[in-house]
Amino acid sequence: MNLRPATLAQIDEVITHYPVKRSAVLPLLHLIQEEAGYISNEAIEWVAQKLELQPINVYEVVTFYPMFRQKPIGRRHIKVCRTLSCALTGSYQVCEQFQKEFGCAPGEISPDGEATVEFVECLASCGTGPVVMIDDDLHEKVDCARARELSDQIKAAARARPQP
Amino acid sequence: MPAPQQRRLIFAHIDEPGYTRDLACYRKHGGYEVMKRAFARPPAELIDEVKKSGLRGRGGAGFSCGLKWTLVDRKSGKPIYLIVNADESEPGTFKDRYILHQDPHQLLEGMMITCWANNVQQAYIYIRGEMPHGARILETAIAEARAANLCGPNILGTNYSCEIYVHRGAGAYICGEETGLIESLEGKRPYPRIKPPYFPAVLGLYQCPTIVNNVETLCHVKHIADMGGDAYAQIGTPNNTGTRLLCVSGHVRRPGYYEFEVGKITMGQLLNEVCGGPLPGRTFKAVIPGGSSAKVLRFGEKFKIKQKDGSVVELGVEDLPMDFDTLAAAGTMGGSGGVIVMDDSTDMVAALANINAFYAHESCGQCTPCREGSLWMKKISSRMVHGEARPEDGELIRTVADQIAGRTICAFGEACSWPTQSFVAKFGEEFKGYASAPKSTGSMPLV
């Protein structure tokens, strides 16, 4: 497991927050996923060893919580809220719009690798629905026109990125 | 009657121009002065103030906060933990978000007073995984407070020490259930624990006595410590004291978050005046008053509500005061304060199918009635919407719901059954005639 020294330092620090090491499973998985993009089997074994657990103890956590994933996703992660208040204000159409923009089904990586569009449960901003999270940022009152704009911004940023 | 003015205690500075979330701004507005005064008082006195205040938990169950603290086992010799439930996940609820993002020190001050009152030396804030900025804001606020000696070791020379840590969840609704949250904080799947024996006040985090309080509840503690329990109890109505954050979403002109004295505003005043009424050309059809698990109310239905003096009055949905007891008497609940409004464009079968999909996704899977039942309610209600409705389907899902509630380890069983039970009971004709009825126009797809 190749983690950046800064991540390793954060990992060692966060373990000190708890009297029982096992409590650090979620924080460690978050830190690793933020760096690596997903949780590999190698990461599961590494976390288990670090916290003196069996790999199954970590694996069962990874498979339970919706935010942890065992496969890579696109460069940008678009999460559209599916739950009632957002649906009442049009989130099903917004989710479809994003899928059309990036040419992918929910949960899949777009053919250009740029985005993964996900339809998720309540994002706790029901008064400003439909809401969408793009990576860490919340976007409120996103209708189809705004979804096109946000998609265009993502595509423009992709074009501006230096090609390897 | 015109709607009363908002009474902003918790939201006093939310959205205030120039108000920033840093410690300097908080202190400029009198921040941490209440904590300083509280630290000069014996802890038992503060617990008494909270008891006198009549404060009821703002997370959903409305349980007495003072009683919760009284139940804590103080003789075990084990450390006592405080956990802040900032896992705001009940659909329709979005109040804590603004406290966490805009006024984090208010929460920290309420926490520190609570910790002092209960001799807690380690506290955790369990925040929703989907609020990464909120988690960073809290971490910054804790670092600021620690640097100013307002938390951490030997706080303000009192020899009292208390550390606060932020712990991020990872997208599971069940972590809002307090024993599920504790399991999650212990690094496991958040399977709720069976009670008895696992009452958090006795056997909570690491099998130690633990207090789990909602974000809003802890902010109220600060104001109770400030004005005193008796003065706080004068706000609101008897047995429903203080102010309450109400979040309105769905089909109204002005959805948003508002703070009123508990029981001083009716549903009608809230929706028609504060929120500007229905969308143009529409009328209200139904409202869920306390987060999506609360039973739905149908506009036009009447409730016989017993008054304090024993008399019975008949109230419509619009007349119901927004307090814990009246909403319970109307067969639903104030819950988390999330009010979801549906107008006459709404297909109630589709709305229920949307809610059922949520609960089927979020059932932790520990108890068979909930794991299987929530999935079948979802499958049947979605099938109805997708062109294969049968006249008996409404009754069928109601019998499924009836077999979940009361047969599970935690209250999720009720939370996932109440929508189905109430939608079918109140909109039964829509379920029966669904296959042949023309679909309402102008409605959004909900499943």
Side-chain angles (χ1 to χ4, degrees):
Chain A
M1 194 73 204
N2 266 329
L3 292 167
R4 284 194 288 264
T7 307
L8 288 169
Q10 277 178 291
I11 284 174
D12 286 328
E13 197 276 329
V14 85
I15 294 172
T16 68
H17 294 187
Y18 310 94
V20 177
K21 276 189 176 181
R22 184 170 183 174
S23 278
V25 171
L26 265 73
L28 260 56
L29 291 173
H30 274 303
L31 285 165
I32 291 170
Q33 184 164 281
E34 272 158 33
E35 180 174 327
Y38 70 104
I39 307 291
S40 61
N41 284 343
E42 188 194 3
I44 289 172
E45 282 172 28
W46 189 89
V47 170
Q49 200 173 24
K50 185 83 187 167
L51 299 177
E52 297 162 30
L53 299 168
Q54 296 301 318
I56 182 69
N57 302 138
V58 182
Y59 180 75
E60 67 176 4
V61 168
V62 173
T63 53
F64 186 93
Y65 291 87
M67 283 178 72
F68 296 129
R69 47 185 183 263
Q70 291 178 273
K71 284 183 188 157
I73 51 167
R75 278 180 211 93
R76 308 296 299 274
H77 193 185
I78 301 169
K79 296 195 258 195
V80 182
C81 177
R82 187 208 69 84
T83 318
L84 187 58
S85 302
C86 284
L88 286 170
T89 47
S91 68
Y92 272 75
Q93 286 142 332
V94 170
C95 191
E96 238 172 62
Q97 188 68 44
F98 276 114
Q99 290 171 48
K100 210 157 68 184
E101 293 291 332
F102 291 99
C104 55
E108 284 177 5
I109 303 176
S110 62
D112 59 359
E114 204 49 47
T116 291
V117 180
E118 234 189 312
F119 216 13
V120 299
E121 298 301 340
C122 188
L123 292 171
S125 189
C126 321
T128 54
V131 295
V132 177
M133 266 185 92
I134 300 181
D135 302 328
D136 281 357
D137 298 326
L138 184 78
H139 299 267
E140 302 174 295
K141 296 184 183 172
V142 180
D143 56 12
C144 287
R146 180 75 185 131
R148 279 192 296 272
E149 268 172 40
L150 289 166
S151 304
D152 287 344
Q153 286 169 15
I154 291 172
K155 290 175 197 167
R159 281 193 298 273
R161 199 171 42 234
Q163 297 301 316
Chain B
M1 268 221 324
Q5 288 294 307
Q6 288 197 62
R7 171 94 184 251
R8 288 195 162 211
L9 288 180
I10 310 297
F11 276 175
H13 301 295
I14 299 298
D15 299 331
E16 181 182 305
Y19 189 85
T20 50
R21 58 182 170 236
D22 51 277
L23 179 61
C25 179
Y26 187 66
R27 289 193 118 169
K28 209 163 68 196
H29 290 78
Y32 289 102
E33 291 304 316
V34 181
M35 181 188 104
K36 280 187 198 163
R37 281 188 275 125
F39 275 29
R41 299 174 68 181
E45 253 184 56
L46 291 161
I47 297 180
D48 266 347
E49 295 290 359
V50 173
K51 274 200 241 170
K52 278 192 279 186
S53 75
L55 175 64
R56 296 171 69 167
R58 301 298 199 248
F63 190 76
S64 158
C65 180
L67 184 56
K68 200 176 221 184
W69 292 8
T70 310
L71 295 173
V72 171
D73 181 0
R74 294 169 206 280
K75 297 198 180 104
S76 67
K78 296 189 241 179
I80 299 170
Y81 291 102
L82 170 71
I83 305 174
V84 182
N85 187 342
D87 194 49
E88 181 165 71
S89 307
E90 178 70 27
T93 317
F94 49 98
K95 60 195 177 65
D96 299 342
R97 161 183 292 281
Y98 301 98
I99 302 168
L100 298 167
H101 285 87
Q102 295 188 33
D103 205 5
H105 283 286
Q106 182 181 200
L107 170 64
L108 297 187
E109 187 172 8
M111 282 178 73
M112 290 310 298
I113 295 166
T114 303
C115 289
W116 169 262
N118 293 286
N119 192 26
V120 169
Q121 298 183 12
Q122 195 141 323
Y124 294 97
I125 305 174
Y126 189 106
I127 184 171
R128 273 199 77 159
E130 293 90 338
M131 295 185 182
H133 289 305
R136 284 192 280 268
I137 288 165
L138 284 170
E139 272 164 0
T140 305
I142 293 166
E144 284 179 317
R146 207 169 183 278
N149 196 216
L150 297 163
C151 67
N154 188 19
I155 300 161
L156 304 172
T158 54
N159 269 328
Y160 170 68
S161 305
C162 185
E163 295 289 351
I164 303 177
Y165 297 111
V166 177
H167 186 94
R168 287 182 65 201
Y173 168 81
I174 197 62
C175 293
E177 200 280 344
E178 59 181 6
T179 59
L181 187 157
I182 288 170
E183 286 284 307
S184 179
L185 188 44
E186 290 185 359
K188 305 171 197 161
R189 283 188 167 199
Y191 290 153
R193 296 174 176 174
I194 196 149
K195 292 146 273 190
Y198 297 109
F199 290 109
V202 182
L203 294 172
L205 184 62
Y206 312 124
Q207 302 299 322
C208 297
T210 302
I211 298 168
V212 186
N213 279 144
N214 171 263
V215 171
E216 182 192 344
T217 309
L218 288 166
C219 292
H220 282 287
V221 168
K222 181 205 140 173
H223 297 279
I224 291 164
D226 184 19
M227 65 177 83
D230 287 326
Y232 183 90
Q234 296 303 309
I235 306 172
T237 51
N239 204 36
N240 296 271
T241 58
T243 61
R244 170 123 233 222
L245 303 177
L246 296 170
C247 323
V248 186
S249 63
H251 294 150
V252 288
R253 283 180 199 236
R254 285 192 296 276
Y257 38 95
Y258 305 97
E259 184 172 2
F260 288 96
E261 292 193 38
V262 187
K264 292 278 176 78
I265 184 163
T266 63
M267 181 70 88
Q269 290 169 327
L270 177 68
L271 300 187
N272 286 316
E273 296 172 45
V274 180
C275 297
L279 297 170
R282 291 291 174 191
T283 53
F284 290 139
K285 182 174 185 180
V287 61
I288 301 173
S292 71
S293 57
K295 289 190 175 179
V296 69
L297 301 174
R298 177 180 184 150
F299 281 84
E301 66 174 322
K302 299 282 180 202
F303 309 92
K304 289 202 166 29
I305 308 286
K306 205 170 170 182
Q307 301 290 289
K308 291 266 158 4
D309 60 10
S311 63
V312 175
V313 291
E314 197 179 69
L315 300 178
V317 173
E318 292 90 339
D319 313 319
L320 293 173
M322 299 293 286
D323 65 58
F324 294 100
D325 293 339
T326 312
L327 290 169
T332 180
M333 63 174 180
S336 58
V339 180
I340 307 173
V341 187
M342 289 163 271
D343 67 22
D344 58 342
S345 73
T346 312
D347 172 340
M348 297 311 280
V349 177
L352 178 64
N354 180 288
I355 296 174
N356 284 346
F358 174 82
Y359 289 105
H361 184 261
E362 300 299 338
S363 172
C364 80
Q366 190 178 204
C367 310
T368 309
C370 172
R371 180 186 64 240
E372 298 297 319
S374 61
L375 198 65
W376 280 109
M377 290 192 296
K378 172 199 161 169
K379 283 184 178 173
I380 297 167
S381 51
S382 316
R383 164 167 67 67
M384 289 181 76
V385 178
H386 292 118
E388 290 178 63
R390 303 169 198 160
E392 66 274 20
D393 279 341
E395 273 310 295
L396 179 61
I397 48 173
R398 193 187 55 75
T399 59
V400 175
D402 289 349
Q403 292 175 79
I404 303 171
R407 291 182 170 87
T408 55
I409 286 173
C410 81
F412 188 104
E414 282 74 35
C416 75
S417 325
W418 286 341
T420 291
Q421 288 172 336
S422 59
F423 272 68
V424 175
K426 296 184 181 183
F427 298 93
E429 75 288 354
E430 255 182 79
F431 286 80
K432 258 194 203 122
Y434 198 73
S436 49
K439 296 293 160 288
S440 43
T441 52
S443 63
M444 295 288 180
L446 301 177
V447 279

